[in-house]
Every structure is written in C-alpha cells, then in structure tokens.
C-alpha cells in the first residue's frame, strides 16, 4: 500500500500533467474582409494549449489561409463575438472568462488587417509573447521571494530552454529549468509562517529573502472579474462580453497567514481576502487595503523586472476604485473557475497554487459576479 506522501506526490504529478496537457478546441475563421479568393477557405481546426498564447498559433493559421490572404504584412489579431482578444492572456483563461457556457469548438475570427491598437497593446509575434511571459515570471518571483534575482541571473541558454518548454508543452523540460529558481512548492497550510516567525526573521535581517532561503509565503494571483446579469438563472445565458471595460483585471498577491482555529486555508477564504469587495460582509471601503498596497508596491519596486513598455499592460489592470466599490455593493458571486474547473470552495488554496498555476507561477482565477442594472 502506497504511503500517504507517495500518494499525494502522485496526485500532484497527475494534476500538473493535466494542466500542461489541457487544450481548448479552436475553430478559426478568416475574417470576411481578408478573404481574396473564392470560394472562401474553410475554417482552421486546432487545439490551443490552455497555458499557451494565441500569437504562437499564427504560423500554422497563416499557412492554412495563405492562398486567400491579401498581399502585404500586418499584425495578426483575434476576436470573439466582436471582442478583440488580449494576446498576453493565456488561451485557457480567455476561454474560461469569455465562454460562460464552454463552447466546443471555440469559434474565433482571425484578422490579418486593421489591428485595433486603441484596444490591444502592440504585439510582434513570438518575441512579444516571450517578453511578456518572462516579465510575468520576474514579477511572480519578486512577489514570492522579495526580489527577482533568480530569474535575472538565468543564463541565456536556460532562458531559451525554459521558453521552448512552455511553447512545446514540455513539462519535464520545464521542471528541469524552473526548479533551479527555487520558487516552491508553497508551504503546506499547517506550516504557514506565523507572525512570530516573521518578526524573528525581520529582526535577524533587513534584507529580502533570497530564493530558496525558506518556503514561499506569498502567492502571485491574477483575477479576472466579469460582471453578468444579477437575475441570471443559468450562467450559460450570460450576455457576451462586448467591451473589456466589463472585466476587471487584477493583480493581488495572496499572503498566507495562519488563521486562529483554521486547519488550512480554503479557496473561499483566499478569495474573501483577495476580493473583499465581493466576498466580505464588510463595506468595500472598510476592507483591509494591505493586499492592494502590496500589489502596487510590488509593481513599483520590481523595476529590475519590468521596463516602461510593460506599463501599457499594467495600466489595463482595474484595481478597486471608488466606482468599483459601489459596483461591488450590488454584486453577487455567480461562478469561480480555475484551469477550466469550477472548484469546490473548500479545496486547500495552496494546493491550487502549487498544482493549478500557470508556467509563469501565477494562479489565474476567473470570477463571474451578478450585478443589478443601473
């Protein structure tokens, strides 16, 4: 009979492999304005890796439609039901966020002209996606360890190998490189650092923790909050997202703290902490702002992990504003998805963080909230 530890390790390995093998069936249609041949080409069917990015599919999509495309070169972009898709958001997250009722195959339209630069940040293909991924990895490393040196000090060969493993969905190759960053696993809930240990560490050193000096106690989280009709009886009847203004894109690290009388930290408890404006009974204005401040401080202090061009992405993150606080008073959580799964809210959050995170070490959580019409 397998020991409990061995059984847990086997389940963890299986979860990671399922995340990396996860894919969204795509049916990609060429936009009518780009069709220059008759009859129009048939749609392109493919599997989009959940942890992958739409621009990485462009070479095979371009090859499929090559005989019907107009001459010249322009930036390729995708849309779903009239909404331009943000290229730096993983495919699986876009699907979970925009398809209230999972649509299989997911019907997308590809454009080879008319890039909507007023909505989407510039994308130069694979290079832009690689830069975005590495930048997110640096940010996550900063959140977890207090600095991003382990990523900044990676050799060029290791950076290339890491990126290629992500592009090819090679989990073993990824683990071979990523384990050297010493970013986890996150602590078991029963071993979460207590305030007394934290005070002792601060007394002993004013320097930030070096990677691997102790197990991480802060989890990088990206939340995507979509509002739907409050009186919605079935989530699949939600009105499609027509504007990114209807989605709040939020970076908030979750700091693990041992709660009195709590044996482990649940997903529900983590979300109550991360999104008090939706999950807490307190008025939004009275919620503890430490999580918000921590996210802003991390973005401000990690100048070694970002450059000025990243700010166009950061500007799109809708952190709670006074207007959103009023919105939150009228909101009710309808659905929570992680990696395409509607998880039990009692599941240990740090298990989710360890095993359902994306390759850049962020946990992506999609939250649907119902709101009253104004």
């Amino acid at each position: 009979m397998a020991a409990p530890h061995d059984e847990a390790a086997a389940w963890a390995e299986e979860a990671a492999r399922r995340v990396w093998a996860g894919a969204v069936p795509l049916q990609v249609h060429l936009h009518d304005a780009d069709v220059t041949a008759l009859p129009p080409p048939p749609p392109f069917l493919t599997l989009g890796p959940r942890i992958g990015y739409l621009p990485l599919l462009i070479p095979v999509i371009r090859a499929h439609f090559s005989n019907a495309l107009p001459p010249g070169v322009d930036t390729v972009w995708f849309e779903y039901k009239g909404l331009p898709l943000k290229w730096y958001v993983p495919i699986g997250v876009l699907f979970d966020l925009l398809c209230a009722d999972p649509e299989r195959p997911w019907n997308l339209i590809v454009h080879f002209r008319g890039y909507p630069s007023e909505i989407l940040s510039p994308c130069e293909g694979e290079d832009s996606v690689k830069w975005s991924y590495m930048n997110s990895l640096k940010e996550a490393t900063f959140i977890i360890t207090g600095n991003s040196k382990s990523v900044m000090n990676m050799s060029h060969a290791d950076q290339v190998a890491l990126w290629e493993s992500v592009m090819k969905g090679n989990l073993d190759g990824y683990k071979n490189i990523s384990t050297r960053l010493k970013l986890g696993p996150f602590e078991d809930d029963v071993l979460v650092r207590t305030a007394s240990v934290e005070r002792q560490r601060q007394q002993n050193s004013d320097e930030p923790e070096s990677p691997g000096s102790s197990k991480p106690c802060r989890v990088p989280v990206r939340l995507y909050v979509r509002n739907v009709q409050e009186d919605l009886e079935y989530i699949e009847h939600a009105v499609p997202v027509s504007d990114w203004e209807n989605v709040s894109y939020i970076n908030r690290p979750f700091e693990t703290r041992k709660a009195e009388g709590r044996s482990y930290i649940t997903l529900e408890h983590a979300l109550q902490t991360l999104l008090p404006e939706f999950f807490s009974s307190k008025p939004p204005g009275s919620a503890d702002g430490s999580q918000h401040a921590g996210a802003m401080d991390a973005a401000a202090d990690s100048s070694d992990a970002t450059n000025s061009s990243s700010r166009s992405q950061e500007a799109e993150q809708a952190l709670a504003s006074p207007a959103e606080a009023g919105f939150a008073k009228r909101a009710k959580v309808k659905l929570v998805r992680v990696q395409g799964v509607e998880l039990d809210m009692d599941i240990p959050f740090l298990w989710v963080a360890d095993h359902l995170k994306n390759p850049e070490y962020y946990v992506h959580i999609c939250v649907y909230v119902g709101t009253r019409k104004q």
Side-chain angles (χ1 to χ4, degrees):
M1 183 175 179
H5 181 272
D6 293 338
E7 187 175 351
W11 277 109
E13 178 71 14
E14 177 68 13
R17 295 205 174 276
R18 284 177 179 262
V19 167
W20 277 67
V24 178
L26 303 177
Q27 184 165 258
V28 183
H29 305 259
L30 180 62
H31 189 261
D32 291 344
D34 290 332
V35 176
T36 61
L38 293 175
F44 179 69
L45 293 166
T46 189
L47 290 175
R50 276 192 151 271
I51 62 172
Y53 303 85
L54 287 172
L56 300 182
L57 301 177
I58 289 174
V60 292
I61 292 175
R62 190 194 302 273
H64 176 79
F65 292 122
S66 60
N67 293 333
L69 295 177
V73 179
D74 199 355
T75 302
V76 182
W77 56 286
F78 298 82
E79 73 163 88
Y80 175 61
K81 294 187 175 180
L83 180 73
L85 300 181
K86 294 185 180 293
W87 56 266
Y88 52 84
V89 178
I91 293 172
V93 178
L94 287 171
F95 183 68
D96 293 344
L97 177 67
L98 301 177
C99 290
D101 181 24
E103 177 183 316
R104 297 184 178 91
W106 191 21
N107 284 277
L108 304 181
I109 295 177
V110 62
H111 296 253
F112 286 82
R113 294 290 182 274
Y115 191 80
S117 55
E118 72 283 0
I119 299 174
L120 303 179
S121 56
C123 177
E124 301 300 328
E126 181 187 332
D127 287 344
S128 293
V129 181
K130 178 183 177 182
W131 175 87
S132 178
Y133 167 78
M134 293 302 298
N135 187 61
S136 292
L137 179 60
K138 292 171 189 175
E139 291 176 353
T141 303
F142 184 91
I143 289 169
I144 294 170
T145 68
N147 63 64
S148 55
K149 291 179 181 178
S150 60
V151 178
M152 299 293 288
N153 293 336
M154 289 178 68
S155 68
H156 177 70
D158 280 353
Q159 289 188 37
V160 171
L162 183 68
W163 173 240
E164 287 186 349
S165 70
V166 173
M167 283 202 304
K168 297 176 181 178
N170 180 0
L171 175 59
D172 293 331
Y174 169 82
K175 289 166 66 175
N176 183 50
I177 302 296
S178 64
T179 51
R180 302 176 197 173
L181 301 177
K182 300 180 180 179
L183 297 178
F186 294 101
E187 291 182 322
D188 293 334
D189 287 286
V190 294
L191 299 177
V192 172
R193 185 188 318 174
T194 63
S196 60
V197 174
E198 174 66 9
R199 286 195 298 270
Q200 183 178 359
R201 186 192 70 79
Q202 292 178 348
Q203 290 171 359
N204 292 338
S205 173
D206 291 330
E207 295 295 319
E209 295 176 85
S210 60
S213 63
S214 64
K215 290 184 179 180
C217 286
R218 289 192 296 170
V219 180
V221 179
R222 282 184 176 158
L223 301 121
Y224 307 79
V225 182
R226 170 183 171 179
N227 62 305
V228 297
Q229 309 96 293
E230 183 189 43
D231 58 355
L232 199 63
E233 185 174 359
Y234 301 105
I235 197 69
E236 57 266 29
H237 295 159
V239 175
V241 176
S242 59
D243 192 314
W244 283 106
E245 292 297 321
N246 294 324
V247 176
S248 294
Y249 174 41
I250 305 169
N251 269 355
R252 280 185 187 166
F254 176 77
E255 185 167 349
T256 55
R257 297 285 181 182
K258 185 140 185 174
E260 198 66 36
R262 188 183 299 277
S263 59
Y264 60 82
I265 299 167
T266 65
L267 174 61
E268 182 176 25
H269 173 70
L271 289 174
Q272 287 173 347
T273 305
L274 290 164
L275 293 173
E277 55 267 52
F278 300 116
F279 283 86
S280 175
S281 59
K282 296 179 181 179
S286 66
D288 181 7
S290 60
Q291 297 285 347
H292 184 156
M296 298 297 287
D297 291 344
D301 293 343
S302 59
S303 57
D304 60 335
T306 59
N307 61 31
S308 58
S309 59
S310 73
R311 300 308 174 193
S312 61
Q313 279 182 222
E314 297 303 322
E316 295 169 352
Q317 299 173 8
L319 293 172
S321 64
E324 287 173 326
F327 161 81
K329 291 179 182 179
R330 306 184 302 272
K332 178 183 179 182
V333 174
K334 296 275 191 179
L335 177 69
V336 176
R337 280 183 184 152
V338 181
Q339 294 292 359
V341 180
E342 297 175 30
L343 295 174
D344 188 322
M345 296 296 279
D346 288 333
I347 192 171
F349 175 70
L350 293 185
W351 189 94
V352 174
D354 273 329
H355 307 301
L356 301 185
K357 65 182 179 295
N358 273 49
E360 80 287 4
Y361 278 84
Y362 270 95
V363 182
H364 297 261
I365 304 176
C366 297
V367 182
Y368 287 58
V369 295
T371 57
R372 291 196 301 268
K373 293 182 179 180
Q374 296 303 298

